[in-house]
Amino acid sequence: MKNPFDRLFVRECHVCPWWLCFTFDNLIRKLFHDPENILAPYVHEGDTVLDVGPGMGFFSIPLARMVGDKGKVIAADVQAPMLAVLRKRVKKQGLEGRIVPHLCKSNSIDIREPIDFALAFWMVHEVPDQNKFFLEMKSLLKPEGNLLLAEPTIHVTRPMFEETIKRAGEAGFAVRETPKIFMSRTAVLSLHKEP
């Protein structure tokens, strides 16, 4: 029999439905997850950034402001309705030239452009093949690029997160740091450099 807490806290592989994002993509969340404070150490003007699983743009929109006119944010999601909501919010903010909504394939992010920074916030636990995900991220990141991985403590136990970090390591990533983010297990991953 399955652990009832796993069922209660939805610890099985799933994709959060697009309509549920309204519950956690709101102004109150900014009190706990301020995008500028979380991302400022990693994002620079002119960067090309990948926001994987962007929801309605909670991080994508601030990222677009951080990268400036010469930068770009690729907001990649597997759900077309999610991207439709994101497009409306991007247009309302006047950031159409900086944010590129991208519909992923079911088993691949499916972009080819090199990126300076990638954000995977509360979504890797939804990926059915994490090994493939990290190999794809490795192929996209520039040599000095970083991937900020954050997983929700309610859905992802410490052993589950450690397994995710192990998979990232097998793909060639090393943990650079573990920033403190509310209700999150985190790691900033960079490409492991051979001595």
Side-chain angles (χ1 to χ4, degrees), residues 56-57 60-61 85-99 101:
M56 299 180 341
S60 299
I61 290 169
V85 174
L86 173 68
R87 278 186 186 89
K88 288 178 186 173
R89 293 184 80 196
V90 167
K91 185 173 182 177
K92 188 175 181 181
Q93 296 291 321
L95 295 169
E96 297 99 317
R98 292 188 203 173
I99 298 178

Side-chain angles (χ1 to χ4, degrees), residues 124 127-138 163-164 166-171 173:
V124 171
V127 175
D129 188 343
Q130 290 184 10
N131 294 320
K132 185 175 181 181
F133 172 80
F134 286 117
L135 286 171
E136 189 171 8
M137 294 305 295
K138 179 183 177 185
E163 184 62 27
T164 297
K166 179 182 171 196
R167 290 182 180 124
E170 290 167 353
F173 284 98

Side-chain angles (χ1 to χ4, degrees), residues 138 169-174 190-195:
K138 179 183 177 185
E170 290 167 353
F173 284 98
S190 57
L191 298 174
H192 179 71
K193 295 174 180 55
E194 297 296 326

Side-chain angles (χ1 to χ4, degrees), residues 5-184:
F5 288 104
D6 289 346
R7 194 164 281 191
L8 176 66
F9 295 116
V10 195
R11 291 184 177 141
E12 298 169 353
C13 189
H14 70 286
V15 174
C16 185
W18 70 270
W19 49 266
L20 192 56
C21 281
F22 289 96
T23 63
F24 57 81
D25 196 347
N26 56 56
L27 292 174
I28 295 169
R29 182 178 177 196
K30 193 169 181 181
L31 298 172
F32 305 104
H33 291 151
D34 185 303
E36 288 84 4
N37 289 341
I38 292 170
L39 302 170
Y42 316 108
V43 178
H44 308 94
E45 196 166 330
D47 279 355
T48 298
V49 172
L50 174 62
D51 186 1
V52 187
M56 299 180 341
F58 183 81
F59 287 103
S60 299
I61 290 169
L63 278 166
R65 291 188 181 103
M66 295 171 82
V67 299
D69 289 334
K70 295 183 179 167
K72 175 170 40 172
V73 176
I74 302 167
D77 206 291
V78 295
Q79 298 181 79
M82 191 79 78
L83 292 175
V85 174
L86 173 68
R87 278 186 186 89
K88 288 178 186 173
R89 293 184 80 196
V90 167
K91 185 173 182 177
K92 188 175 181 181
Q93 296 291 321
L95 295 169
E96 297 99 317
R98 292 188 203 173
I99 298 178
V100 179
H102 172 77
L103 184 62
C104 301
K105 293 183 177 177
S106 62
N107 63 351
S108 170
I109 298 167
D110 193 37
I111 64 168
R112 304 285 175 257
E113 187 170 352
I115 55 174
D116 298 290
F117 175 76
L119 176 65
F121 203 96
W122 287 16
M123 57 73 52
V124 171
H125 64 282
E126 298 181 358
V127 175
D129 188 343
Q130 290 184 10
N131 294 320
K132 185 175 181 181
F133 172 80
F134 286 117
L135 286 171
E136 189 171 8
M137 294 305 295
K138 179 183 177 185
S139 73
L140 295 173
L141 273 176
K142 293 179 182 177
E144 300 304 318
N146 292 301
L147 164 60
L148 172 55
L149 169 66
E151 289 286 80
T153 55
I154 193 166
H155 290 308
V156 179
T157 64
R158 184 166 305 284
M160 290 168 70
F161 189 70
E162 288 169 359
E163 184 62 27
T164 297
I165 296 299
K166 179 182 171 196
R167 290 182 180 124
E170 290 167 353
F173 284 98
V175 176
R176 189 178 120 195
E177 61 185 91
T178 55
K180 300 281 186 227
I181 299 175
F182 182 73
M183 288 190 64
S184 303

